[in-house]
Amino acid sequence: MTAQKKKPALTVDELAEKVTSGDRVGLARAITLIESVKPEDQLRAQELLEKLLPKTGRAFRIGISGVPGAGKSTLIDQFGVNLIEAGHKVAVLAVDPTSTRSGGSILGDKTRMGRLASEENAYIRPSPTGGSLGGVTKTTRETMAVAEAAGFDVVIVETVGVGQSETTVSNMVDVFTVVAIPGAGDELQGIKRGLLELADIIAVNKADGSNVEHAEKAASEYRAGLHILAAGNPGWSPSVLTLSAQENKGLDQLWEKIQERHAKLKESGELARRRGEQAVTWMRELFEQRLLAAFKGGRKAARQWSEMEDKVRSGELSAVSAAAELSRLAAAGDQPDA
């Protein structure tokens, strides 16, 4: 019996071509390569990202969070279907801080987003933690870049509202939406103040049936509370709205608010500044991970750190290349200052 020959691995150029042409198998293979911890795969992944980065940056990057039971999965499922019907391509990336125990993801087998998962112009990908939220940050940022290069013009990052991952996600998206629920007593106690302070939009979900009045009351309480929180920050004025993901009510308004917020950020120059700072944050995280794997410290790396930040911020150098160069300096055996 003749053994089957193993198919040769795609070259980086071939893989990049498959991603940018919208090949879903190629997209999945690219993300798998990015998630690999093998040194040879990391080098190929870096080269792939360099080729894909010019194709990124055109998507709406949306973060969606909220307390467990707020109906985020139902909301994203219906919201994504609405966007696809309007002509968009939607990618959903799930951050799961619990997967170190369960081995699974918040989205599980995607049955909680069954309608969206079956759409040709949708892509759902859980992000593995790799044992830490830092691991999520790395793979999620890179997966976002690959999804954008593949032509997805709306990228949604979903996370559960119980931990540090909200700050992580808010630092990689353009518009951060917090999903709240009515009828939980003191509404401002029902969701963390720290989470509220990250929000661009607060969407009170489950405003249907007998809950409509409770939802309107909750929205009023959020507006009053946010008015107090925003008193010391005149540049921060989050929107509050009510909706029903179950009945597909208010989701068009949510999309309008996201577009409105995105447009204001773009017109003011804040979007470019924010994305520049996010790229610098990405560079720092990649550098720290690679430095720990290679050699910690180094005078040359320290001297060039500020220069690298400036180049990444201005767009002269990508976060991936900057991190790789700083890692090489550290790996060269340069000793830290005494």
Side-chain angles (χ1 to χ4, degrees):
M1 186 174 179
T2 305
Q4 290 185 342
K5 291 185 178 179
K6 186 178 180 181
K7 291 183 180 180
L10 294 174
T11 66
V12 171
D13 285 336
E14 289 172 337
L15 193 52
E17 173 62 29
K18 284 187 174 294
V19 170
T20 55
S21 67
D23 184 284
R24 295 178 72 87
V25 175
L27 173 60
R29 292 180 69 172
I31 295 173
T32 298
L33 177 67
I34 284 170
E35 292 175 349
S36 173
V37 297
K38 295 180 180 178
E40 61 271 24
D41 285 346
Q42 290 181 351
L43 289 174
R44 294 182 68 232
Q46 178 190 326
E47 185 181 350
L48 175 65
L49 284 166
E50 286 298 323
K51 292 183 179 297
L52 295 179
L53 281 174
K55 300 286 187 180
T56 68
R58 303 178 184 92
F60 285 87
R61 300 172 183 174
I62 305 167
I64 295 183
S65 185
V67 295
K72 295 183 298 298
S73 295
T74 302
L75 187 154
I76 295 171
D77 189 41
Q78 185 63 64
F79 185 52
V81 169
N82 291 355
L83 290 173
I84 289 170
E85 289 177 351
H88 296 281
K89 293 185 67 177
V90 180
V92 179
L93 313 178
V95 174
D96 181 13
T98 68
S99 64
T100 50
R101 290 188 298 170
S102 69
S105 72
I106 288 173
L107 296 183
D109 60 1
K110 302 179 184 177
T111 56
R112 293 172 67 184
M113 293 187 189
R115 292 178 60 203
L116 187 59
S118 65
E119 291 284 347
E120 183 180 349
N121 287 322
Y123 186 79
I124 300 176
R125 181 83 177 197
S127 293
T129 62
S132 69
L133 287 174
V136 166
T137 303
K138 175 181 181 294
T139 58
T140 302
R141 289 185 191 275
E142 294 174 350
T143 302
M144 285 176 67
V146 175
E148 288 186 2
F152 291 92
D153 62 326
V154 177
V155 179
I156 298 173
V157 183
E158 185 248 10
T159 181
V160 67
V162 295
Q164 180 185 342
S165 53
E166 283 66 58
T167 301
T168 301
V169 170
S170 71
N171 286 331
M172 63 175 71
V173 298
D174 304 326
V175 180
F176 190 68
T177 299
V178 174
V179 183
I181 49 176
D186 185 343
E187 300 302 341
L188 292 180
Q189 293 299 320
I191 195 166
K192 297 184 301 178
R193 170 174 172 167
L195 181 55
L196 287 177
E197 290 176 332
L198 297 172
D200 294 297
I201 299 170
I202 295 176
V204 181
N205 192 20
K206 303 187 179 182
D208 43 51
S210 60
N211 269 338
V212 173
E213 186 177 341
H214 293 303
E216 293 296 342
K217 180 182 178 182
S220 295
E221 289 190 20
Y222 281 122
R223 291 187 187 101
L226 289 169
H227 179 73
I228 297 171
L229 291 177
N233 186 357
W236 178 65
S237 56
S239 301
V240 180
L241 53 88
T242 61
L243 55 83
S244 169
Q246 190 70 40
E247 297 183 354
N248 195 13
K249 293 179 180 178
L251 295 182
D252 288 343
Q253 184 186 8
L254 173 61
W255 178 233
E256 288 172 4
K257 290 294 184 182
I258 289 172
Q259 290 178 296
E260 179 183 307
R261 176 64 173 163
H262 194 272
K264 286 182 178 179
L265 289 171
K266 191 172 184 179
E267 290 168 8
S268 68
E270 177 65 16
L271 182 64
R273 188 203 66 78
R274 179 179 294 190
R275 286 189 172 186
E277 290 301 324
Q278 289 172 353
V280 169
T281 299
W282 186 14
M283 180 200 75
R284 289 171 180 164
E285 291 164 353
L286 287 168
F287 174 58
E288 288 172 2
Q289 293 162 6
R290 296 183 185 191
L291 192 60
L292 289 172
F295 185 81
K296 209 167 188 177
R299 288 187 296 271
K300 290 181 181 178
R303 286 196 298 269
Q304 293 199 16
W305 183 273
S306 179
E307 179 184 346
M308 291 290 184
E309 283 192 339
D310 290 340
K311 289 183 177 180
V312 170
R313 186 176 290 109
S314 67
E316 182 181 345
L317 193 64
S318 75
V320 176
S321 291
E325 177 60 22
L326 289 169
S327 297
R328 281 193 290 270
L329 288 171
D334 197 42
Q335 294 297 320
D337 295 327

